[in-house]
Amino acid sequence: MSSHGIKDRVAIVGMGCTRFAEHWDKSADDLIVDAVTETLDSAGVGRDAIDAYWLGTLTSGYSGMMLSSALKLDYKPVTRVENFCASGSEAFRNACYAVASGAYDVVMAVGVEKLKDSGYSGLTRANPPDDGTSLSLSAPARFSLLVPAYAEKYGVPREEIKRAMTRVAYKNHFNGARNSRAQFQQEVSEEKIAGAATVAGDLGVFDCSGVSDGAAAAIIVRAEDAHRYTDHPLYVKALAFAAGPGTGTYDPAYDYTTFEEVVRSARDAYEQAEVSSPADDLMMAEVHDCFTPTELVLMEDLGFSARGRAVADTMSDKYALDGELPVNPDGGLKSFGHPIGASGLRMLYECWLQLRDQAPPERQIKPRGRRYGLTHNLGGGPGECVSFVAIVGADQG
Amino acid sequence: MSDPVGILAYAGYVPYRRLRRSAIAAVLGGAAGRGTRAVASYDEDTTTMAAEAARAALRARPSDVGSVVFCSSFPPYADRTNATALHAVLGLPEHVRAEDQCGSVRSAVGALIGALHRPGGALVAIADTRTGPAGSADESGGGDGAAAFVVGRGDVLAEVLGTGAATSEFLDRWRAPGEPWAQTWEERFGEEIYAGLAERATDRALQAAGLEAAHVDHWAVTGLSPRAARRFTQGLGLAEGVLVDDLSDRMGFAGAAHPGLLLAAMLDDARPGDTLAVTVLADGADTLLLRATDAIARARRPEPIAAQLAAGDASLSYASFLTWKGELQRPAPRRPSPDRAVAPAAFRGTGWKYGFVGSTCEKCGTRHLPPQRVCLSCHSVDTMREEQMADEQARIATYTIDHLAYSPAPPTIGVVLDIDGGGRFSCELTDCDPETVHVGQRVRFTFRRVSDAGGIHNYFWKARPIVEGTAP
């Protein structure tokens, strides 16, 4: 098929992540310095050990100089990548390939975003000049299109979907309340979530991810070198990326109940990692819960729930912290916050903690399956998105 | 003998929104006026309303016209021609001239009469939006609407029998360029002058047609001064039932467009052989005499003026009305303002942006909105033919009510549509109550003003619900 995987050829040996928050007192440069410093410390290396860098950011800066000037790097190669909300994941993917190719021994992937300085409460970005004919809906509105379509296709009443959306938000706030780096660290009752002011469609304020500032980073080396840096590296099992044709908004065959890009990237990742039954083989998953119905649909697209079953599985707490397959144990985009370029690496950071038994006891997941963690990250909207799926594992083989 | 000269096709357009006159009094106090006035929606202006009327008129007679004329006392643009947008919406060929005859209310009557003898026939589209200071007679008595006529020589549905004019320079109503509202002299002054002018204009028209006033079966009288129009009408001594309703109770006086709307309403009801008269009092007077032909029976519009008047929504609040008219400043949402549509991209996509022309793959038949070069289904490159989608109908596949998107009238309703003849399109839904939107709902397309930025009006297509019992 599409890719030759690099299973077990590279490993993560150090990670860092700032708290995701409204950092009025920090610039994007500050966030980069904080995340990179923590990452270097966790691997026990100085910055001279890093041969090359990949930087993911959507709107917070341009070119490799955003990183090199913040860190005062001495003429190292820095590649800035952008792929919507999967920008951090894309930085990680390309950094891994650079090591796997043999081009570099030690590289770093950094993701950063500074959203709160825009003056707006939602995500904003400059659009290329155009003819003014594209439909200008807010991000929650675009994702809320999933709900009536899903209800129509599977005959699930809208109220039931809303209850499951509320459960997703409740779960992710519950998990975030056990995470000192999350933007929101308080549990929120289902009653409060369900009763919140409507933002778009069936989405209330609590059905939306947090808009925040933050940065995260990872150091990647060849697998055989990993134990020079840590006793507990994470091995990269799969890296898959799919950019959709962007036809969903004008293709009548698209039914707004799935992300084909996710289905394709997940299939590729499972092949690379030799995962045949994701719901059984994985220990945990960090998925792109930008809005609560997104997480519901992702459970099906990633193969965790059968088609039409995500609502029921969510209501039976299959994806809760102590459920069959914990999803977003760190609180997800929902409560951890979503500084675009940083999110993909933040998801890996949770795998870094959980698979190495270093999450705080109140949210540490018990080992199950193959001690594999999946991260999923998408950018765009229903019918026109990019999707990234990574699988990392605590052990080789 | 050559073909008669007259009207070849027509249509009127009354916007969906109405303001109850009592809603004004509820806020400002004073006597609660009767009835409603028609209100151009937040996404409508004289160009979009003229486009709706012109589309309907051309649907009745889908053939070439020699020129397109746009008339309004409130054109969206000064300096540049507004009629070019209509030309593009209608997908007319390049050789068709497009021009404006904007400014005074009287210019529309002049344009209509002047167009009768244009080579190749002409489409005259007239639209107006009227208002005045809060609580004024102009505000409550004004109305918004449009009418369009294809006129010229041929198989006319109404033949022009004669016209008569009377002109006089006197100060009755005036508005400096850029001013939002007109001012008027004491109405009794104009009343006196108008009465005589209208009588003499009418005498000239009757003489030209070889008729007497008693021969007229349906007579419409309208003008800038309701008092003067009433006085002239009383002097005519018309038989019971000849004077037609001037629609002021139901939609208000739509300025330059109003004579056109009244004429359209008369044509909706006229029988073959009926004699029609329209008298307009505006900086003088004009009377136009016509006779309906046998062709009138096959020219009936599926959406007569009466049906449009009956279908409106009168729940509009006075606060929303003032906001839409730019008289009430409301806080902007915490979102970036819309970007301006850029000229080169709009020019490259004129067919799409104005004409709603998509592309259909010659290989596999897949429709694309917007038009694509590479087929989404079979991936063939450059195998497309253009296809006009504006008159298609569609059903809602899914939708959202967006309370965050930038809009002068939140919430924004976003819909994903499956078009009856194939194809998918995502757009805004307008002219409806958000509470009533549902999957499976039937809609059709309407040309609207999507946003404004940098003085550039961003026009594009939206959907509106199909009202039961009507068709485009």
Side-chain angles (χ1 to χ4, degrees), chain A residues 328-370:
Chain A
N328 290 329
D330 68 355
L333 301 166
K334 178 72 205 75
S335 73
F336 205 110
H338 185 23
I340 311 301
S343 286
L345 284 151
R346 179 274 298 168
M347 294 171 170
L348 284 162
Y349 182 72
E350 181 66 2
C351 293
W352 173 254
L353 297 179
Q354 292 283 2
L355 300 180
R356 297 159 75 247
D357 263 334
Q358 291 190 346
E362 58 270 28
R363 74 165 205 280
Q364 176 65 51
I365 299 164
K366 288 187 276 302
R368 69 180 285 279
R370 292 156 75 174

Side-chain angles (χ1 to χ4, degrees), chain B residues 57-81:
Chain B
L58 280 190
R59 268 198 294 271
R61 188 181 177 277
S63 64
D64 271 5
V65 291
S67 52
V68 177
V69 183
F70 172 74
C71 306
S72 178
S73 64
F74 278 88
Y77 284 117
D79 268 34
R80 74 181 298 271
T81 301

Side-chain angles (χ1 to χ4, degrees), chain A residues 119-142 144-149 152 158 198-202 247-256, chain B residues 333-337 339-342 345-346 349 352-353 367-370 372 376 395 397-405 412-416 418 423-428 439 450 458-460:
Chain A
Y120 296 110
S121 54
L123 172 62
T124 60
R125 65 185 158 90
N127 295 309
D130 71 4
D131 65 0
T133 62
S134 56
L135 176 58
S136 176
L137 292 178
S138 66
R142 291 169 72 201
S144 78
L145 292 169
L146 296 166
V147 181
E152 178 84 356
R158 294 266 285 268
T198 300
V199 169
D202 293 349
T247 54
T249 60
Y250 58 92
D251 180 359
Y254 177 61
D255 68 6
Y256 282 85
Chain B
R334 279 234 160 266
R335 306 276 306 166
S337 307
D339 295 322
R340 70 178 186 181
V342 307
W352 168 240
K353 185 176 172 66
R367 278 175 158 186
H368 304 81
L369 302 87
Q372 303 289 316
L376 74 85
R395 84 181 267 285
T398 188
Y399 69 97
T400 183
I401 313 294
D402 190 345
H403 297 271
L404 295 179
T412 298
I413 307 170
V415 289
V416 175
D418 285 329
R424 164 71 65 79
F425 179 57
S426 307
C427 67
E428 264 184 64
V439 172
V450 172
N458 183 24
Y459 293 109
F460 191 52

